[in-house]
């Protein structure tokens, strides 16, 4: 990601919480496409789609990276990560409007009031 990512954060307190920290520091917002969240078939089978999305967004201890890449360089980043054997998924886009806006396949907004672990 060196030279490609414009920002990055580890996801240990939940995707919404940690992405929120990154966005707050940069003064932006994001729109997340829920259907693009990487969830396992096992999780889907055990919990169903709605709960799988909630867990993917708010569960902690993922120890993955959430990063932003300028759109014109996304293909290059994807190729580099694939060559390194590191799976990655584009789950949304940065917006000028603050906050994180989650939408389902139909574009319907979804709310997740508890974004993840809070230390204090």
């Amino acid at each position: 990601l060196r030279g490609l990512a414009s920002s990055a954060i580890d996801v240990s307190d939940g995707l919404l919480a940690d992405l929120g920290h990154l966005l707050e520091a940069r003064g932006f917002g994001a729109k997340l496409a829920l259907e693009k969240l990487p969830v396992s078939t096992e999780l889907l089978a055990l919990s169903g789609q709605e709960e799988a999305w909630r867990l993917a967004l708010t569960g902690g201890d993922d120890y993955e990276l959430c990063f932003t890449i300028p759109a014109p360089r996304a293909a290059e980043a994807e190729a580099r990560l694939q060559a390194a054997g590191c799976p990655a998924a584009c789950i949304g886009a940065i917006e000028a409007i603050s906050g994180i806006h989650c939408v389902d396949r139909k574009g319907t907004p979804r709310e997740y009031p508890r974004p993840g672990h809070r230390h204090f």
Side-chain angles (χ1 to χ4, degrees):
L1 296 175
R2 185 170 293 167
L4 291 174
S6 50
S7 62
I9 190 166
D10 68 15
V11 179
S12 58
D13 293 338
L15 177 60
L16 289 179
D18 290 323
L19 176 58
H21 298 316
L22 186 146
L23 295 169
E24 187 177 318
R26 304 282 297 194
F28 291 106
K31 185 175 195 175
L32 299 183
L34 295 172
E35 76 275 3
K36 293 185 178 184
L37 292 173
V39 295
S40 69
T41 55
E42 293 83 4
L43 178 59
L44 286 170
L46 286 171
S47 66
Q49 187 68 75
E50 292 295 325
E51 182 66 2
W53 283 341
R54 187 190 70 75
L55 290 169
L57 292 167
T58 65
D61 293 330
D62 295 320
Y63 303 103
E64 297 286 346
L65 290 178
C66 176
F67 54 90
T68 60
I69 300 279
R73 303 203 63 197
E76 179 184 357
E78 185 178 332
R80 280 192 194 181
L81 290 165
Q82 190 172 27
C86 184
C90 178
I91 60 171
I94 301 301
E95 299 182 320
I97 301 168
S98 66
I100 301 173
H101 307 95
C102 299
V103 296
D104 65 16
R105 286 178 186 89
K106 296 178 182 176
T108 305
R110 300 294 180 102
E111 296 289 325
Y112 298 91
R114 295 194 66 204
H117 179 73
R118 291 180 184 240
H119 293 274
F120 301 101

